[in-house]
Amino acid sequence: MSFIKFLSLLIITIVSFHHQQTFADLYDKNVITTKPNIIIVLTDDQGYGDLSLHGNPILKTPHLDSLGKQSTRLTNYHVAPTCSPTRAGLLTGRWNNRTGVWHTIMGRSMLRENEKTLADLLKVNGYQTAMFGKWHLGDNYPYRPHDRGFDFAYYHGGGGVGQTPDYWDNAYFDDVYMRNNSKEKATGFVTDVLFNEAINYIEQAKDKDQPFFTYISTNAPHGPMHAPKSYADKYANKGLKITTQHFFGMITNIDDNVAKLRNYLTENNLAENTIFIFTTDNGTSAGDKIFNADMRGKKNSEYDGGHRVPFFIHWPNAGLNKEFIQNKITSFVDVVPTLLALTDSKNTLNVQFDGQSIKALLTPNKSLNWPDRTLFTDSQRVLNPIKWRKSAVMTNQWRLINGRELYDIQKDPSQKLNIAYENPNVVNKLRERYQQWWTDISASFTEPTAIHIGAQHANPVQLTSHDWLGDNAQVPWQQRQIRQAIREKDGSHKGYWFLDIKSSGTYRFKLSRWPLSTNKAISSSMAAGKPSTGQVAFREAKGIAFKAVTAKINIANLSKSAPVSQSDKYIEFTLELPEGKTKLSAIFTNEEQQEIGAYFVNVEKL
């Protein structure tokens, strides 16, 4: 940037403080000519009330409070009530159900391969792109973060540290994470590691000609609750349960890491032209009994406590560095189109957004004529979506819950008084809008998302029970359940994977009960792992033996079985398979004819 242009920018920025000049004015006057960097910090299971800025009487978040007071704050901003669905909508600008993501497990957390992410869109507009932490939109090709527009990804498996796709026995400290395709040992607490990695990335990215987009999606404060002891101890003498102490400790640790990141940006002259967003993925999981900002419900709820969350956006160069509270209703599907508008980026991939740019809402404008909107959210957490299930139809004034309950949110923010009977016209109007929405998004529900095998980009492929499909199937999504040999109560096995065989040929399948990295026999037990801080860790469960005698595989109209000896660590099948989509089930049976699924299957095209 030339000195004259820099001086012009400085003068106009100073003037804007006195004349409330907006970033739109700056763009129109061609003053902001360098695309801003973008940082999104998304925390996990931290609700609207889990900030001292919003009135929490115990939790202390001074650095996030400071950010909030230097930002535009959306106080009527809504997401999905659970993890993967919010990430799908946030990163695509499209209703999460439309993208195939309405659950956190069962193959319904994988973002359909035809969807384009914010990283895809920014990348074609000249951005460097990187993500750190919790992805939770698919652990196999083509659903991994580095398959979805991110140049670089540093992340853990599944929806949380210690879940089934994650590295075995991870428990928040000194764990193993993925650096793109490679496993790598880290030292320290997970949130500290993620922010340090993000800062290291920015240090490399800042001197390049391209702006950067850095997406930091923390595992914390998702359970199990493991905070560094020094942070949990801050809440040890306040009459809180041990889980709440560590829940709050994890949030305070996030608060310190946000401060560290912001200080780094300031020290490196990056803060002024960086769009910094802080938000969360759903309502609180553990803080509602302490403070819930006068809302009903928590994580997984259709009431506001399940999906109304914080959203701060800070960008000094555009005047977004003063406290401004915007209470008009907004949604997670608005984020992508808004960022494209703020960065003067083009929708060259022709994404049909369900959200809209809320750029006009981010600064004070008394003359703005912003029409009321109807927005939607729901919590499905089933194999196939069910109409009206745990749903909310929302406007600035109304909440229609499950198609039956009506609340005037302006008069009754706690949603205590159901006034549906007194307002049938409002109920009918909102029901009709939901009907239209459901008809639109449900067209794609019959298209299950398939994991690719035999693709050049990923061979071999590691399948885990986290992604089993099946009506009413037990799905072992975290490692304690693997250790406990979780299975169907009737002794049968119901789960299966849905696969897309990308090329015909010879495939080798290795069926195992334990991850191959553990070097444990299929039929062996496993000693309990060492404890972590706070809550009992997944790895502390003793591994129960399942004395398998037979292994069986079913795929593409083929069925084979083989005996299992007590020393076998896996059972191998080699099959000739045709190209196309198919189901795979893999089963171990004991002498009593009880079945468990093979929790791990390694698939390789030979």
Side-chain angles (χ1 to χ4, degrees):
M1 181 184 296
S2 69
F3 176 78
I4 294 175
K5 185 160 286 189
F6 171 78
L7 186 61
S8 299
L9 175 60
L10 179 63
I11 293 170
I12 292 178
T13 302
I14 293 171
V15 170
S16 72
F17 284 115
H18 300 285
H19 297 282
Q20 295 187 329
Q21 191 161 358
T22 70
F23 52 82
D25 297 324
L26 298 178
Y27 264 127
D28 291 343
K29 294 181 178 180
N30 200 32
V31 173
I32 295 180
T33 57
T34 303
K35 283 184 181 289
N37 304 307
I38 302 170
I39 296 174
I40 297 178
V41 175
L42 177 75
T43 67
D44 196 358
D45 287 1
Q46 179 180 2
Y48 191 91
D50 296 327
L51 288 165
S52 46
L53 177 66
H54 290 162
N56 194 297
I58 295 177
L59 176 63
K60 302 303 179 187
T61 53
H63 304 301
L64 287 169
D65 296 354
S66 176
L67 174 65
K69 292 174 182 177
Q70 300 167 31
S71 301
T72 290
R73 303 209 307 270
L74 305 181
T75 56
N76 196 6
Y77 168 78
H78 297 264
V79 293
T82 57
C83 311
S84 298
T86 288
R87 284 161 175 75
L90 178 76
L91 290 174
T92 65
R94 288 158 57 80
W95 297 121
N96 56 279
N97 292 347
R98 189 195 299 284
T99 71
V101 181
W102 54 78
H103 202 344
T104 56
I105 56 174
M106 290 201 305
R108 304 315 200 200
S109 62
M110 296 184 287
L111 183 69
R112 285 201 182 102
E113 59 186 298
N114 64 305
E115 297 291 337
K116 301 301 181 184
T117 70
L118 176 58
D120 288 315
L121 289 158
L122 290 176
K123 191 170 180 178
V124 297
N125 277 277
Y127 276 79
Q128 306 169 73
T129 58
M131 74 80 56
F132 302 86
K134 173 170 174 169
W135 175 241
H136 206 185
L137 293 172
D139 294 283
N140 293 105
Y141 178 81
Y143 309 111
R144 304 165 301 181
H146 45 294
D147 303 322
R148 309 311 297 262
F150 287 98
D151 301 318
F152 176 78
Y154 186 90
Y155 62 106
H156 59 75
V161 172
Q163 293 192 8
T164 304
D166 198 26
Y167 192 81
W168 189 252
D169 280 352
N170 271 1
Y172 290 59
F173 295 87
D174 302 331
D175 290 333
V176 174
Y177 305 108
M178 296 298 296
R179 185 181 294 275
N180 284 356
N181 290 322
S182 301
K183 298 181 179 69
E184 183 178 283
K185 176 79 171 175
T187 301
F189 179 61
V190 55
T191 307
D192 297 333
V193 170
L194 297 179
F195 274 86
N196 288 339
E197 287 288 338
I199 289 171
N200 289 340
Y201 169 79
I202 293 171
E203 177 67 20
Q204 300 299 315
K206 67 182 175 63
D207 293 327
K208 297 179 181 178
D209 292 335
Q210 299 170 278
F212 59 78
F213 165 45
T214 304
Y215 171 51
I216 306 170
S217 176
T218 68
N219 173 81
H222 192 287
M225 308 305 177
H226 302 309
K229 185 176 183 300
S230 60
Y231 283 93
D233 284 351
K234 297 177 186 291
Y235 302 99
N237 299 312
K238 301 183 183 296
L240 303 175
K241 296 179 180 178
I242 189 70
T243 52
T244 311
Q245 293 173 32
H246 281 259
F247 179 73
F248 283 174
M250 285 194 280
I251 294 173
T252 300
N253 173 265
I254 290 168
D255 189 71
D256 281 349
N257 274 291
V258 167
K260 178 173 65 178
L261 175 57
R262 293 191 70 203
N263 288 338
Y264 168 84
L265 296 174
T266 299
E267 291 165 2
N268 287 271
N269 299 315
L270 296 169
E272 296 296 306
N273 201 33
T274 295
I275 299 173
F276 194 112
I277 291 173
F278 170 80
T279 186
T280 75
D281 67 347
N282 46 247
T284 187
S285 65
D288 55 304
K289 300 299 183 185
I290 305 302
F291 181 75
N292 205 27
D294 201 26
M295 292 189 295
R296 178 177 176 178
K298 56 189 290 187
K299 177 181 179 178
N300 195 36
S301 173
E302 59 269 48
Y303 298 97
D304 267 29
H307 48 80
R308 179 178 159 236
V309 300
F311 188 98
F312 307 161
I313 181 167
H314 174 85
W315 182 16
N317 268 5
L320 298 181
N321 57 351
K322 292 168 288 188
E323 185 174 35
F324 173 57
I325 295 174
Q326 177 57 262
N327 62 10
K328 292 190 182 299
I329 193 166
T330 52
S331 170
F332 60 147
V333 294
D334 297 333
V335 173
V336 174
T338 300
L339 285 173
L340 293 184
L342 291 180
T343 60
D344 196 30
S345 296
K346 307 304 180 186
N347 180 12
T348 56
L349 301 180
N350 298 316
V351 177
Q352 298 299 307
F353 296 121
D354 291 313
Q356 65 184 78
S357 170
I358 57 167
K359 175 178 171 180
L361 294 180
L362 299 181
T363 51
N365 186 347
K366 293 181 180 180
S367 63
L368 178 66
N369 181 19
W370 186 264
D372 198 7
R373 307 169 65 191
T374 303
L375 297 172
F376 310 89
T377 194
D378 64 11
S379 182
Q380 291 291 338
R381 306 196 96 169
V382 289
L383 183 64
N384 296 305
I386 300 169
K387 193 174 184 179
W388 296 110
R389 188 180 193 277
K390 294 179 73 67
S391 62
V393 184
M394 305 174 289
T395 69
N396 281 314
Q397 181 177 4
W398 303 108
R399 300 287 188 271
L400 178 68
I401 303 298
N402 300 326
R404 300 184 303 271
E405 303 169 26
L406 183 70
Y407 301 92
D408 186 332
I409 206 71
Q410 295 179 0
K411 296 179 180 178
D412 179 24
S414 299
Q415 294 175 277
K416 294 178 179 178
L417 183 61
N418 177 10
I419 55 174
Y421 182 79
E422 297 90 336
N423 295 273
N425 291 337
V426 175
V427 171
N428 290 335
K429 178 176 67 175
L430 296 179
R431 282 182 63 89
E432 182 179 344
R433 291 176 183 174
Y434 177 91
Q435 295 273 14
Q436 294 169 349
W437 175 74
W438 184 264
T439 299
D440 179 32
I441 66 167
S442 61
S444 62
F445 288 173
T446 58
E447 303 170 18
T449 306
I451 297 172
H452 293 195
I453 64 172
Q456 293 180 349
H457 305 281
N459 191 42
V461 170
Q462 181 64 57
L463 305 175
T464 78
S465 58
H466 178 279
D467 296 323
W468 281 348
L469 286 76
D471 289 321
N472 302 313
Q474 288 274 10
V475 177
W477 54 272
Q478 43 101 327
Q479 293 175 19
R480 178 190 292 130
Q481 296 168 331
I482 303 296
R483 286 174 165 269
Q484 294 171 334
I486 186 174
R487 55 191 185 273
E488 304 297 336
K489 293 179 180 179
D490 65 2
S492 65
H493 175 67
K494 299 177 182 177
Y496 61 89
W497 290 277
F498 190 66
L499 305 180
D500 188 353
I501 303 170
K502 300 307 292 183
S503 57
S504 60
T506 305
Y507 286 79
R508 179 171 61 201
F509 294 80
K510 293 181 179 179
L511 282 57
S512 63
R513 182 264 170 91
W514 305 107
L516 297 178
S517 63
T518 65
N519 205 34
K520 299 288 289 185
I522 293 165
S523 297
S524 70
S525 60
M526 181 178 285
K530 64 180 182 179
S532 186
T533 64
Q535 200 171 2
V536 175
F538 291 152
R539 68 188 179 199
E540 290 184 70
K542 182 179 179 181
I544 298 170
F546 182 83
K547 301 296 185 180
V549 295
T550 305
K552 184 178 182 180
I553 187 170
N554 298 293
I555 184 171
N557 297 317
L558 297 173
S559 180
K560 282 193 174 184
S561 60
V564 179
S565 74
Q566 294 304 297
S567 61
D568 286 333
K569 296 167 185 173
Y570 59 88
I571 298 298
E572 183 175 307
F573 294 96
T574 302
L575 303 171
E576 291 292 324
L577 298 177
E579 183 177 318
K581 293 182 178 180
T582 187
K583 296 179 181 180
L584 164 67
S585 65
I587 303 167
F588 293 121
T589 306
N590 63 14
E591 289 181 345
E592 289 76 37
Q593 296 303 302
Q594 295 174 322
E595 297 176 345
I596 64 169
Y599 303 129
F600 303 91
V601 175
N602 184 276
V603 186
E604 183 175 8
K605 185 181 183 186
L606 302 179

